[in-house]
């Protein structure tokens, strides 16, 4: 089926005179494989030479009377074979096969290949100086390797707590060592907090569309999750008050900054309204501040505005790297920290000494701040790519975040859109795992971080943007 064109007729840049137009029938293979075979053959025979600029995927789809996604898959396959490379803002070019082979399929700029939009990871630092700095810190830990391979006292050393306090103060959370616990990741912290504030059968309030981890933890503990309606600013305080009178929740769970998945951030006024309700009905606040250091000027945290009723969890995974399974938990008081410490010790024994030592070193020597700055800048650059490619009005995002929430146009279902993405080598997550109650909306989450490059992000967004602007019927491949 012929592909539709974004923004009207094919641009002059797309319609290059004498552009490559292969004969796909001779290969007897699915069209996307035939495109890769034709490229390989034309490069081998000299009909295409190194540096030749290929037609855009949209122009080739138009010329061959194919679906855009089919051509996209063909280009992805050619990239896998080391035949072509994509350059952001310039196009797709034939590469020197010999050079590509010597460099392991990487000639010049990073290749554009399949991209996984499913895992919510920060962009991985690729600046050579910063990477060298990170690796040196890791290598230096080997000097104390024997000690790091032993059991440690629970909660971290004095140096570890000093680093944690410094990290938290950078977010505006000024607390004491007695209220602070160092945990092996945010999940263990949330698990322990839920186990302390509620018992099986008790109710916890949460955003209607929320982080899937809280759903799994509540189910494991036998807790009832009650969903609260949301708008662009997050949870509705009036709905929270109504729930307090109706179901008497023990706590409210919130991911109030760059919320996963909707990207919503609660304003200070909205936070203060929620605090007023929580105080009125004696409800604890569980604040999952996963993106605590990503925003350069975030609203004050619940832990800053209402420390006496807030359990504050700040994991480092979304700020420094998912492999660092470490989180800082601040209890409302020194007294409430004691049973939490007991629960964490029973369930986890201790946080990984290696992860803790590395995080402490990075915080104290400034490496953590340098990584956060990279993540901020790279996330902003990727959000600009989003804004340039996705149709306006189809998504919500934050300029400093590294995920996007797409509300699908009429006709698309989340399963069909995810299937369309998979057919082009792209992974997206439908709304189902995020929905606490009711029918999940026709929406998907895209994540822009991890090992994917800007070139890969651009390529993937071009494919999805084309799908969003076309009819779902154009994506059908069933016969």
């Amino acid at each position: 089926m012929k592909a539709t064109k974004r923004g009207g007729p094919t641009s002059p840049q797309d319609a290059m005179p004498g552009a490559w137009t292969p004969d796909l029938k001779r290969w007897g293979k699915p069209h996307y494989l035939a495109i890769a075979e034709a490229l390989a053959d034309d490069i081998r025979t000299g009909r295409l030479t190194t540096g030749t600029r290929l037609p855009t995927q949209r122009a080739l789809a138009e010329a061959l009377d194919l679906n855009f996604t089919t051509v996209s898959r063909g280009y992805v396959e050619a990239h896998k074979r080391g035949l072509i490379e994509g350059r952001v803002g310039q196009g797709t070019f034939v590469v020197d096969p010999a050079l590509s082979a010597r460099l392991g399929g990487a000639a010049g700029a990073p290749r554009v290949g399949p991209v996984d939009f499913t895992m919510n990871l920060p962009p991985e630092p690729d600046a050579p100086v910063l990477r060298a700095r990170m690796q040196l810190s890791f290598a230096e830990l080997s000097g104390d390797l024997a000690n790091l391979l032993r059991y440690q006292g629970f909660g971290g050393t004095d140096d570890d707590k000093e680093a944690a306090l410094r990290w938290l103060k950078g977010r505006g959370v000024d607390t004491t060592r007695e209220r602070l616990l160092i945990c092996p990741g945010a999940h263990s912290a949330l698990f322990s907090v839920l186990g302390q504030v509620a018992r099986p059968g008790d109710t916890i309030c949460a955003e209607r569309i929320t982080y899937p981890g809280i759903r799994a933890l509540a189910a494991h503990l036998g807790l009832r999750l009650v969903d609260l309606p949301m708008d662009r600013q997050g949870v509705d305080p009036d709905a929270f008050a109504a729930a307090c009178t109706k179901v008497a929740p023990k706590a409210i769970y919130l991911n109030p900054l760059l919320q996963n998945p909707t990207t919503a951030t609660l304003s200070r006024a909205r936070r203060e309204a929620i605090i007023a309700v929580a105080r009125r009905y004696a409800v604890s606040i569980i604040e999952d501040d996963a993106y605590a250091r990503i925003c350069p000027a975030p609203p004050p945290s619940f832990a800053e505005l209402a420390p006496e009723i807030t359990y504050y969890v700040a994991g480092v995974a979304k700020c420094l790297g998912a492999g660092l399974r470490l989180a800082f938990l601040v209890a409302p008081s020194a007294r409430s920290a004691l049973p939490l410490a007991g629960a964490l010790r029973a369930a986890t024994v201790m946080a990984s000494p290696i992860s803790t030592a590395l995080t402490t070193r990075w915080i104290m020597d400034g490496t953590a701040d340098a990584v956060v700055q990279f993540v901020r800048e790279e996330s902003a650059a990727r959000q600009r790519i989003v804004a340039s490619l996705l149709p306006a009005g189809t998504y919500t995002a934050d300029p400093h975040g590294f995920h996007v929430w797409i509300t699908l146009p009429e006709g698309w279902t989340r399963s069909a859109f995810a299937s369309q993405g998979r057919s082009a080598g792209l992974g997206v997550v439908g709304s189902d795992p995020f929905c606490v109650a009711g029918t999940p909306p026709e929406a998907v989450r895209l994540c822009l971080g991890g090992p994917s490059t800007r070139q890969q992000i651009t390529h993937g967004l071009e494919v999805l943007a084309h799908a969003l602007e076309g009819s779902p019927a154009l994506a059908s491949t069933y016969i």
Side-chain angles (χ1 to χ4, degrees):
M1 183 173 290
K2 194 172 184 177
T4 58
K5 297 177 284 186
R6 281 184 83 211
T10 305
S11 69
Q13 185 182 26
D14 285 346
M16 298 180 295
W20 181 71
T21 308
D23 177 10
L24 303 184
K25 295 179 181 178
R26 57 179 291 218
W27 299 103
K29 295 183 176 181
H31 288 145
Y32 80 97
L33 290 176
I35 290 171
E37 294 289 354
L39 273 166
D41 187 62
D42 284 353
I43 292 170
R44 184 170 55 250
T45 59
R47 288 190 290 269
L48 287 175
T49 58
T50 301
T52 299
R53 182 183 173 201
L54 296 174
T56 67
Q57 297 169 44
R58 196 174 310 281
L60 187 59
E62 191 74 17
L64 297 177
D65 197 27
L66 293 176
N67 182 275
F68 177 88
T69 303
T70 300
V71 174
S72 177
R73 291 181 69 189
Y75 274 32
V76 167
E77 180 65 25
H79 278 288
K80 288 180 182 177
R81 301 184 188 187
L83 304 173
I84 58 178
E85 66 180 7
R87 303 172 192 167
V88 173
Q90 299 180 48
T92 303
F93 297 82
V94 174
V95 299
D96 180 349
L99 178 60
S100 177
R102 290 198 302 272
L103 297 181
R111 298 199 178 287
V112 179
V115 57
D116 184 6
F117 287 123
T118 63
M119 296 303 294
N120 201 19
L121 309 171
E124 294 181 3
D126 58 2
V129 173
L130 178 55
R131 287 181 65 90
R133 180 176 179 178
M134 296 167 69
Q135 290 168 351
L136 178 61
S137 293
F138 195 82
E140 288 173 347
L141 290 180
S142 63
D144 194 31
L145 184 60
N147 182 52
L148 295 176
L149 293 176
R150 299 176 186 137
Y151 285 111
Q152 308 289 317
F154 180 80
T157 65
D158 287 344
D159 287 344
D160 297 331
K161 288 206 169 186
E162 182 61 33
L165 291 171
R166 178 183 293 191
W167 179 263
L168 294 171
K169 197 166 186 178
R171 173 63 176 98
V173 179
D174 196 358
T175 188
T176 63
R177 291 171 184 247
E178 293 73 25
R179 293 171 56 205
L180 171 65
L181 296 168
I182 296 177
C183 313
H187 267 241
S188 66
L190 292 171
F191 184 78
S192 297
V193 170
L194 288 170
Q196 291 302 306
V197 301
R199 294 291 179 266
D202 285 343
T203 296
I204 303 292
C205 287
E207 304 117 328
R208 178 162 293 166
I209 303 295
T210 193
Y211 170 56
I214 202 68
R215 295 182 59 198
L217 292 173
H220 184 78
L221 290 168
L223 305 178
R224 178 190 176 203
L225 273 188
V226 170
D227 63 305
L228 299 177
M230 305 165 63
D231 58 22
R232 184 65 190 102
Q233 287 192 61
V235 163
D236 180 350
D238 292 336
F240 176 36
C244 288
T245 62
K246 185 176 181 180
V247 298
K250 297 296 184 180
I252 178 172
Y253 166 84
L254 296 167
N255 177 203
L257 183 66
L258 303 181
Q259 197 243 16
N260 180 10
T262 69
T263 78
T265 290
L266 287 171
S267 65
R268 176 170 186 148
R270 183 66 65 92
R271 292 169 192 246
E272 289 175 341
I274 290 171
I275 289 169
V277 174
R279 283 175 171 156
R280 186 189 322 151
Y281 293 99
V283 177
S284 296
I285 296 172
I286 303 172
E287 181 176 14
D288 185 359
D289 211 13
Y291 307 93
R293 298 295 297 275
I294 300 302
C295 286
S301 68
F302 284 94
E304 184 178 356
L305 296 173
E308 79 285 358
I309 59 171
T310 300
Y311 291 86
Y312 178 81
V313 180
V316 302
K318 304 300 186 188
C319 300
L320 301 180
L324 284 177
R325 306 309 303 162
L326 201 72
F328 306 134
L329 168 59
V330 180
S333 66
R335 181 176 180 179
S336 60
L338 293 175
L340 282 174
L344 280 163
R345 187 182 292 109
T348 67
V349 180
M350 62 182 181
S352 163
I354 295 175
S355 290
T356 305
L358 182 61
T359 303
T360 293
R361 181 180 291 265
W362 280 1
I363 292 172
M364 299 307 283
D365 70 11
T367 301
D369 287 337
V371 173
V372 167
Q373 186 60 31
F374 169 85
V375 172
R376 285 177 179 171
E377 294 174 357
E378 184 62 22
S379 296
R382 295 180 183 209
Q383 289 290 354
R384 289 193 291 272
I385 296 173
V386 170
S388 72
L389 292 175
L390 292 189
T394 62
Y395 69 96
T396 55
D398 187 284
H400 305 291
F402 44 81
H403 61 279
V404 176
W405 184 244
I406 295 180
T407 301
L408 297 172
E410 185 177 356
W412 277 107
T413 65
R414 56 198 183 277
S415 60
F417 193 79
S419 176
Q420 174 71 355
R422 285 193 299 272
S423 72
L426 308 172
V428 302
V429 180
S431 61
D432 301 76
F434 306 103
C435 191
V436 172
T439 302
E442 299 300 349
V444 298
R445 186 193 68 181
L446 306 184
C447 299
L448 309 175
S452 299
T453 64
R454 291 189 197 178
Q455 288 88 344
Q456 289 174 308
I457 295 292
T458 299
H459 168 74
L461 290 174
E462 286 175 341
V463 174
L464 297 181
H466 185 272
L468 288 170
E469 291 189 333
S471 165
L474 295 175
S476 177
T477 57
Y478 295 102
I479 56 174

